[in-house]
Amino acid sequence: MNTGRDEPGEVAMAADETKSDGAKSEQGLGSKAPDFIKARRMLHLSWQVAVFAIGLAVVVAGIILLPLPGPGWVVIFGGMAIWATEFVWAQLVLRWTKRKVTEAAQRALDPKVRRRNIILTTIALVIIAVLLGIYLWKFGIVMPWKIKDQ
């Protein structure tokens, strides 16, 4: 659960993110806890346990929401953001996720990719419509229950 050092208040630095002008930006990794909490080892450990428990509860709620109608992935990433306030590994995972989502959004905005996606969606919809038409032609509209028996 620690950042690799025993001294409280130290922050690891990472310089792998680039800004739009190409310059590297250094962002601190590690605990975002207040200084008075980081100054006391037991209090900081208790803080980390509490942050981990709250983040775990949010992530578990997100996992439960995945098959249900609801914002499951958003809740999971919210739990990861809670963990990222305290743990370097969660900060790195969120940084990687943001980079991948940005790259995917840029690829999706490419006109060739958009045209391909529209063509593939149209083909898929035509195939579904043909299969639905064949099913209705062969079986008709049949309710899954028998209304006449009631």
Side-chain angles (χ1 to χ4, degrees):
M1 280 194 195
N2 65 16
T3 59
R5 298 264 179 154
D6 289 333
E7 293 83 26
E10 291 201 17
V11 176
M13 300 298 284
D16 64 337
E17 282 197 24
T18 59
K19 293 192 181 222
S20 61
D21 60 355
K24 299 264 185 180
S25 69
E26 290 192 8
Q27 287 188 326
L29 295 174
S31 178
K32 306 284 191 278
D35 289 334
F36 74 91
I37 290 177
K38 289 192 278 188
R40 293 165 184 84
R41 185 154 176 82
M42 287 304 296
L43 187 58
H44 190 231
L45 184 62
S46 301
W47 179 270
Q48 286 180 329
V49 169
V51 166
F52 184 80
I54 292 168
L56 183 65
V58 172
V59 168
V60 167
I63 291 171
I64 291 171
L65 285 175
L66 280 176
L68 300 175
W73 284 109
V74 174
V75 175
I76 289 172
F77 288 123
M80 289 295 295
I82 291 171
W83 281 338
T85 63
E86 195 59 35
F87 303 108
V88 174
W89 60 268
Q91 293 168 358
L92 295 175
V93 167
L94 279 181
R95 183 178 291 173
W96 177 84
T97 304
K98 287 177 186 177
R99 188 173 59 243
K100 291 299 180 183
V101 167
T102 304
E103 290 171 4
Q106 291 300 322
R107 281 194 312 267
L109 293 176
D110 182 25
K112 290 180 182 178
V113 173
R114 290 184 70 202
R115 189 174 20 243
R116 183 200 65 203
N117 289 344
I118 290 171
I119 291 170
L120 289 175
T121 302
T122 304
I123 291 171
L125 289 174
V126 167
I127 290 172
I128 290 171
V130 167
L131 291 175
L132 183 65
I134 292 171
Y135 177 83
L136 290 175
W137 173 68
K138 186 160 182 139
F139 299 108
I141 298 177
V142 178
M143 297 294 169
W145 58 87
K146 297 180 180 181
I147 297 175
K148 295 178 183 177
D149 292 344
Q150 292 182 358

